Amino acid sequence: NIEKIERNLRFLLKRKNMKRGDLARKGQLSRATISRIFRNKNDKGSSYRPAPEVVMCICIALKLDENEMKELFLIAFPEWKCWIEISRRKLSMHDANVLLDENGLPTLGNSIEE
């Protein structure tokens, strides 16, 4: 999903007529953080996933409206879409985990025997 974030950010930067440096400065983020997002790599070579606080800094820097912000967060954190659905439908833990598993996302809770 980081590739989707990167594509979305490229689109937003172009639309807002901004450069990566502008994004770093206006979002008070390091250039290294912006680079990690666009490279999809952290300093150890593993995939990079920005923290929610980083995504929010980007939203502020780009002056995104509520819908644009929600879209970026759902791209960055696809599990949130399922979590919203779980809450909306008031699913049991079992059914919540079935939904998450069907979407290729980590399940919730610990495996315990009752």
Side-chain angles (χ1 to χ4, degrees):
N1 287 314
I2 192 71
E3 295 84 11
K4 288 182 182 179
I5 296 171
E6 183 262 341
R7 279 194 309 268
N8 190 265
L9 285 179
R10 283 187 194 279
F11 169 78
L12 290 168
L13 286 174
K14 186 174 182 178
R15 194 177 88 206
K16 305 276 183 173
N17 197 28
M18 290 174 61
K19 304 278 187 222
R20 291 181 194 184
D22 300 324
L23 182 60
R25 185 176 42 79
K26 290 181 179 187
Q28 297 184 0
L29 297 166
S30 71
R31 288 182 182 264
T33 296
I34 300 301
S35 177
R36 287 181 194 110
I37 293 169
F38 281 91
R39 286 184 298 120
N40 184 25
K41 296 277 185 243
N42 65 19
D43 295 334
K44 297 177 182 174
S46 301
S47 292
Y48 177 75
R49 181 175 180 180
E53 295 84 357
V54 170
V55 176
M56 191 65 210
C57 288
I58 290 168
C59 292
I60 292 168
L62 293 170
K63 297 183 179 178
L64 300 183
D65 65 29
E66 184 178 344
N67 289 329
E68 292 169 321
M69 181 183 80
K70 183 178 177 181
E71 180 182 347
L72 188 59
F73 267 92
L74 289 175
I75 290 169
F77 307 101
E79 65 273 19
W80 289 7
K81 184 176 182 179
C82 286
W83 292 355
I84 291 166
E85 182 69 11
I86 290 164
S87 176
R88 186 184 67 73
R89 292 174 45 197
K90 299 186 183 344
L91 296 179
S92 69
M93 184 62 78
H94 171 77
D95 291 339
N97 282 330
V98 168
L99 177 66
L100 289 164
D101 187 59
E102 288 173 351
N103 284 277
L105 296 167
T107 56
L108 303 171
N110 297 319
S111 297
I112 56 172
E113 293 185 31
E114 296 185 30

